[in-house]
Amino acid sequence: MLSSAFLRPTPALRWPLLWLLLGLLCAAGPPQHDSATAQPGPAAGNAPASLSAPARRAYADLLKLRVEPARALLQAELQRAPTSAGTLLVADCIDFTELMILQNAGRYEAAVAAQDRRLAALEKSAERGPLRDYALAEIRLHQAAAQVTYQHEMQGAWSLRQAYQQLQGVVKRYPDFLPARKTLGMCQFMIGSLPAGYHWFLNLLGLPGSVEAGVKNLRLAAEKPNDFQPEARIILALVQETYYKQGEETARLVQQLATQQPDNLLYSYLLISLNKRLHRTDAALAAYRRRPTGAGYLPVAYLHHMAADLLLYQGQYAASERANQQFLREYQGVHYRKDAAFKLYLAAWLSGNAGAAEQYRQQIKAGSRTVVEEDAYAQRFFEEKQPLNSTLTRARLQIDGGYYRPALNTLRGFAGSKLLRDQLEEPYRRARAYHGLGRLDSARLYYTRTIALAGQAPYYFGPQSALQMGYLCQADGQLNMARLYFQKALDSPKHEYKNSTDAKAKVALAGLPAAKVR
């Protein structure tokens, strides 16, 4: 299921595989070699290699995030063929999606126990062939993600290692079975995008990653018909948008999918999130207001958190406040609570309500975990106790929303600051605004100014400027300069968004041709 991926938009689905990999230090076993290079495997015989018609219909409903209708559609099939690999896999996808999106810790034990029962049934089953082997690996990967998300890191680490090795085996035995390519490709890409400091133990543990192999496998699964082709298309598109700056192509695909299936909440979700990341606030809000609602759909509280951001970009502070309050009322998880409190603080502070702003600022402290970068940023704001600059903050929100000319007008009111953070943020915001307007010479000027001023300062403005300069140089064919800037981003000291910045820089470096040795 798509939710076993690193799929960025959803809060429950954004956990990078890095979480799992960190726990593997204590779960090492004999290393395995990457078997993604296909070798002819044994024939599957009469074993099914695709989902049954009822399972396929249930899976289609699940992709719309209609969990209960999907479960009802599958019920008769579970009674007819309770040990069928396809039926057990779709049943697990349903439970896993519900667990990860709702983020209800009270469901965790029952969900993992059900996964154990499905795995045991598959192990004992007389069914053989690619679908059965793939189901074993995919359910194990679901279990790994659930275990790590709910703070059972060691169990999750071991489950990930098992799933990865099983996927390698499926691809080796059945090279034409495309669903396994989809999941293995996703894992290969995410592991391959990790910074170089992790490579030694990834190799030790038999978890070889490769950006190139991952994209190749994803593309195979995305371009040829198979039961899980929609997932592969979406994952590949998000990889291309996030790491290869192919936002327009991804936007066209997601818009096409959402138009074809206006009753699909997942596609609406992707459309909202993608437009938000592409700084198209008006389009994102329009998609949010058009999203399908009603009985049968899984409640996705994070939609309201995204809407709160979008309204904040527009300066609709009261509406933003209401949306984040709705998110906090409905959301059952522990992540993004600090971020929501920070955004509530911004809405109150920028609207001049100092009393409410202080109450929201104190709520940042109440949130429990700081695993996701947004929560870590909010916690750092709370702990440093340095006042934000209202001019720079308004400009930042306008730029995030794609309102570049208003942001430049706002920045004209910046009166200077003694704080190093503000001195770095001002040229960085100008660079981002000019970049958004396509005025690239001005953007380069302010990016390089930010880099020069930043030095080894522990803020993200310098590393992000280096990353953007790398992209600009790459687009201009200045590959040696691009390489230097991407490396500079990687070499930066710890900052608020180092994990995501490093991953992007590493993928960008991997995509450059090898430097010529003179």
Side-chain angles (χ1 to χ4, degrees), residues 217-510:
N217 279 319
L218 280 170
R219 185 168 286 116
L220 283 171
E223 292 178 350
K224 296 181 180 180
N226 64 88
D227 284 328
F228 302 93
Q229 186 181 23
E231 286 187 39
R233 293 181 72 193
I234 293 167
I235 295 170
L236 178 61
L238 291 173
V239 163
Q240 291 171 331
E241 182 269 327
T242 304
Y243 294 94
Y244 296 104
K245 314 302 287 183
Q246 296 180 19
E248 293 302 326
E249 295 89 336
T250 303
R252 282 194 292 271
L253 171 63
V254 172
Q255 181 65 66
Q256 178 189 32
L257 294 172
T259 301
Q260 290 171 346
Q261 293 188 27
D263 63 337
N264 190 310
L265 181 57
L266 174 61
Y267 292 164
S268 293
Y269 194 113
L270 291 169
L271 187 61
I272 297 163
S273 179
L274 182 61
N275 277 313
K276 181 174 181 282
R277 292 206 305 280
L278 293 176
H279 312 288
R280 298 170 181 172
T281 295
D282 296 345
L285 277 173
Y288 171 75
R289 289 162 181 151
R290 288 195 308 267
R291 74 194 187 280
T293 57
Y297 287 102
L298 195 64
V300 185
Y302 191 74
L303 281 163
H304 309 305
H305 188 43
M306 286 199 294
D309 276 358
L310 296 164
L311 293 163
L312 196 59
Y313 302 156
Q314 291 186 336
Q316 297 191 52
Y317 301 129
S320 176
E321 201 169 343
R322 289 192 297 271
N324 255 329
Q325 288 170 340
Q326 182 178 1
F327 162 68
L328 290 173
R329 283 196 306 271
E330 297 180 6
Y331 183 53
Q332 301 174 46
V334 297
H335 305 286
Y336 299 97
R337 291 188 174 277
K338 290 178 182 290
D339 184 49
F342 176 61
K343 302 298 176 51
L344 284 164
Y345 164 82
L346 291 180
W349 175 58
L350 291 171
S351 61
N353 190 339
E358 179 56 25
Q359 289 180 350
Y360 289 135
R361 194 183 76 84
Q362 292 299 323
Q363 284 184 24
I364 297 172
K365 177 176 59 176
S368 58
R369 304 190 76 194
T370 55
V371 175
V372 296
E373 289 181 329
E374 293 89 337
D375 286 343
Y377 183 92
Q379 183 67 24
R380 180 169 177 172
F381 160 76
F382 176 81
E383 291 174 353
E384 287 188 347
K385 299 180 181 179
Q386 290 186 346
L388 295 175
N389 183 285
S390 60
T391 299
L392 295 176
T393 301
R394 289 180 193 275
R396 173 187 180 174
L397 294 172
Q398 289 169 325
I399 291 166
D400 286 346
Y403 304 116
Y404 303 119
R405 294 188 189 280
L408 287 172
N409 288 333
T410 298
L411 287 167
R412 292 190 181 100
F414 180 65
S417 171
K418 294 181 180 179
L419 295 176
L420 175 60
R421 184 193 65 198
D422 295 347
Q423 294 170 11
L424 296 174
E425 184 171 3
E426 187 267 340
Y428 175 73
R429 297 298 169 206
R430 290 186 185 276
R432 297 298 287 159
Y434 283 123
H435 198 161
L437 290 170
R439 295 173 59 178
L440 301 185
D441 287 344
S442 295
R444 290 187 186 91
L445 172 66
Y446 285 102
Y447 281 137
T448 53
R449 183 175 297 179
T450 305
I451 294 168
L453 288 171
Q456 294 296 300
Y459 302 109
Y460 69 91
F461 310 116
Q464 274 290 315
S465 293
L467 180 68
Q468 296 302 323
M469 280 297 294
Y471 288 137
L472 289 171
C473 290
Q474 184 180 21
D476 286 345
Q478 299 175 315
L479 301 186
N480 287 335
M481 289 299 297
R483 189 174 289 105
L484 289 173
Y485 278 119
F486 290 139
Q487 190 61 52
K488 188 171 187 63
L490 280 172
D491 292 340
S492 65
K494 186 176 181 180
H495 56 85
E496 303 95 322
Y497 299 110
K498 184 161 179 62
N499 283 343
S500 57
T501 302
D502 282 5
K504 291 176 183 178
K506 186 173 186 297
V507 171
L509 275 172

Side-chain angles (χ1 to χ4, degrees), residues 57-73:
R57 288 194 296 271
Y59 179 72
D61 246 7
L62 177 60
L63 275 184
K64 296 178 181 180
L65 299 185
R66 289 172 50 82
V67 166
E68 288 307 326
R71 192 172 276 133
L73 279 171

